[in-house]
Amino acid sequence: MQTIFKTLLVGAILAIGTGTALAEDPVVGTWKLNLAKSTFSPGPAPKSQTRTYIESMQGITVTVKTTAADGKESTTTLTFKADGKSYPVSGNPDFDAVSAKRVDASTVNSTQTKAGAIVGTAVRTVSKDGKMLTFAQKGTHADGGNFEDVAVYNRK
């Protein structure tokens, strides 16, 4: 009887440990910008934007595809872990690195830097029902202009 109990206990511990190790971040998936619920100050708002988050052993990879107000398309890519370390960003003129820290299961704070200097901060929050992503960001664009945006996305 003791052997059966120990076997079940070890199995339960392994199942819990494996479930935790493979727990998916709630941001994983594809998100489409909801322009009606978003604010861009000073603007203009983009025509469209899609954020895709993929989880792997290297961390979370986010790809942001944007069509700007003038119709110009761009893609920003970043692979990071929410461990406070700096990770390189490609395709964004405003910043070249991001460091992120997890606040709770649905919230991550981040800092954007360019050539080592802080140029922006952001808070990314996934709603409790997992259907909405809010990305509140403020900082300085590469041209020197300040901005404060709250982008709201719906899960695709």
Side-chain angles (χ1 to χ4, degrees):
M1 186 62 136
Q2 224 175 13
T3 304
I4 293 172
F5 176 73
K6 286 179 183 176
T7 303
L8 290 173
L9 181 61
V10 170
I13 290 170
L14 287 174
I16 292 168
T18 303
T20 302
L22 299 176
E24 190 173 272
D25 188 313
V27 79
V28 170
T30 301
W31 303 86
K32 185 171 174 52
L33 181 64
N34 182 329
L35 286 165
K37 292 184 178 181
S38 301
T39 58
F40 296 89
S41 177
K47 283 186 179 180
S48 66
Q49 189 174 77
T50 302
R51 300 175 79 89
T52 303
Y53 292 84
I54 300 170
E55 192 169 27
S56 70
M57 293 301 288
Q58 291 76 35
I60 298 285
T61 298
V62 58
T63 303
V64 183
K65 294 187 178 192
T66 305
T67 302
D70 64 3
K72 185 177 177 183
E73 294 183 359
S74 65
T75 301
T76 300
T77 305
L78 162 69
T79 299
F80 70 98
K81 292 182 180 179
D83 58 7
K85 294 179 184 176
S86 185
Y87 293 91
V89 173
S90 66
N92 194 310
D94 294 335
F95 51 92
D96 57 22
V98 169
S99 61
K101 277 224 159 210
R102 182 164 297 283
V103 175
D104 58 35
S106 61
T107 307
V108 171
N109 291 342
S110 62
T111 301
Q112 296 87 33
T113 58
K114 183 151 185 142
I118 294 174
V119 294
T121 59
V123 177
R124 184 198 79 203
T125 306
V126 177
S127 64
K128 296 227 185 272
D129 66 5
K131 294 180 180 179
M132 192 180 327
L133 167 69
T134 302
F135 195 83
Q137 183 178 18
K138 61 182 173 179
T140 305
H141 287 298
D143 65 7
N146 293 329
F147 67 92
E148 190 165 346
D149 301 338
V150 177
V152 178
Y153 301 83
N154 297 322
R155 188 178 292 276
K156 263 180 107 175

